[in-house]
Amino acid sequence: MPPKLKISDIKSFPARVGIRNQFLVKVETDQGVFGWGESGLTGREKAVAGAIEHYREFLIGQDAMQIGRIWQEMYRSQYFEGGRVLQAAISAIDIALHDIKGKALGVPVYELLGGKQRHAIPTFASTGDSAGEGAIERAQELMEAGFDAIRFFPIGQDSRDIFEPRQSIAATANLLNRARQALGSAVVLGIDYHHRLSVAEAASFCARLDRGVLDFLEEPIRDETPEAYESLRSMTDIPFAIGEEFASKWQFLPYIERGIHQFNRLDVCNVGGLTEAMKVAGWSEAHYVDLMPHNPLGPVCTAATVHFAAAVPNFAWLETRVPERALGFDNSEFFPVQPRMVGAVYPVSDAPGLGVEVNEALLNRESFAFWEAPHLRRNDGSVTNW
């Protein structure tokens, strides 16, 4: 057995990589073994940095190998437990601790999660932010590149100011009906509505689609009220993909237990890291819900999710941004060793830990830049969801 690895420091790196910030966390130990994690609360990195500082105060000196116990202490050590900010901080630390333990034992992280159940991770790719007429052509390019699962975005997705749901659903339904005819019946097609619709609007959208057009509808409405999703569930038989915002197993509870959705868009960098993700995975398996992880961040998130995907039985596809253009999240100068796609799959790395190397010196030179998602309005001036 390796000697105990005591946590000696926890460092935060909110740095601009590509078109927006990545929030990386490095956990160091007194034996020189260190691990990298990533937080998923994009656009609110300063809040997560504060939470990391609080956790650092009592984690220094603790045994880095005791991942489950540390998770419980981070979650239960305050009266106001949980929430998206704290869970994003816990996620980053938890992933880094898995990286440390894998390196210390000389095994890839998937071995810590029960072992490898698949050697390659299937992915789905997106047509890009603009869902105009070029989206069908883009989908054809993705099919030629080997992707058999493709996600569209709604008309108006790339607007920086105005989004009118009713205008979007009419145009988008027409686009998708034509896309299915052009692309054939074999390819999996989905759309991410980014929780921009009401129940009535989402139902109208589904009613405008020809039967068999969509294999999944992602985040059509906001998730705060499961009963609203249950209402929508009764109006359509299109499978739902939900959960990228969920910050604990408890948020998944009503969706899994009530049979509301068919795909979990679990995000390991928001839900509570790999420790919490594995609990959600087992629960989902018991209810025949497949995993379709959210993966919009950098290579550390991708690597952690690839190991997670390798270790669970109930897996569908992993989101990838690699075929999308000019994002820069996977910049090789920052991440000289990272997951690389082969065709439309991620091979599972057998390197110890996550199998990612980070250029810390470059991160230190890259300053944080505030980034805001578009603050969208409707034509009448009222605020609507991004």
Side-chain angles (χ1 to χ4, degrees), residues 13 15 17 24 36 334 358-367:
F13 298 87
V17 182
L24 299 173
W36 288 96
F334 287 90
V358 180
N359 186 336
E360 185 176 347
L362 185 56
L363 282 180
N364 276 318
R365 293 200 299 270
E366 189 69 23
S367 60

Side-chain angles (χ1 to χ4, degrees), residues 339-363:
R340 304 286 186 186
M341 294 190 72
V342 176
V345 303
Y346 280 109
V348 181
S349 171
D350 292 324
L354 292 176
V356 173
E357 293 182 12
V358 180
N359 186 336
E360 185 176 347
L362 185 56
L363 282 180

Side-chain angles (χ1 to χ4, degrees), residues 249-321:
K249 54 183 167 288
W250 293 285
Q251 276 190 280
F252 276 103
L253 186 152
Y255 289 88
I256 295 173
E257 294 291 336
R258 298 181 195 175
I260 295 173
H261 71 328
Q262 288 67 50
F263 296 105
N264 268 345
R265 292 285 284 132
L266 177 150
D267 188 325
V268 298
C269 295
N270 280 324
V271 77
L274 292 165
T275 296
E276 190 80 337
M278 289 301 292
K279 294 175 182 178
V280 175
W283 201 356
S284 300
E285 181 188 2
H287 290 265
Y288 302 101
V289 176
D290 285 335
L291 296 160
M292 184 180 171
H294 188 230
N295 180 38
L297 305 174
V300 173
C301 175
T302 299
T305 313
V306 163
H307 284 280
F308 169 72
V312 297
N314 49 323
F315 184 79
W317 310 278
L318 172 61
E319 176 178 355
T320 181
R321 305 153 323 286

Side-chain angles (χ1 to χ4, degrees), residues 9-81:
D9 203 358
I10 300 176
K11 298 176 179 177
S12 295
F13 298 87
R16 191 80 166 188
V17 182
I19 65 170
R20 65 186 187 204
N21 298 310
Q22 289 182 35
F23 192 107
L24 299 173
V25 171
K26 183 184 183 186
V27 178
E28 299 178 343
T29 69
D30 62 346
Q31 302 293 320
V33 183
F34 59 86
W36 288 96
E38 187 169 3
S39 162
L41 200 61
T42 301
R44 298 294 180 260
E45 294 89 357
K46 291 284 190 180
V48 180
I52 295 284
E53 285 186 51
H54 285 286
Y55 288 135
R56 178 183 181 277
E57 288 298 301
F58 65 80
L59 288 179
I60 288 179
Q62 293 206 29
D63 183 356
M65 304 289 271
Q66 302 301 312
I67 300 174
R69 198 208 63 76
I70 286 175
W71 195 100
Q72 293 294 331
E73 185 172 359
M74 287 192 291
Y75 189 87
R76 300 178 187 276
S77 62
Q78 56 268 316
Y79 182 76
F80 299 101
E81 73 279 351

Side-chain angles (χ1 to χ4, degrees), residues 169-184:
I169 63 177
T172 303
N174 179 269
L175 172 71
L176 291 172
N177 288 334
R178 289 186 288 114
R180 177 55 80 185
Q181 291 178 353
L183 301 174

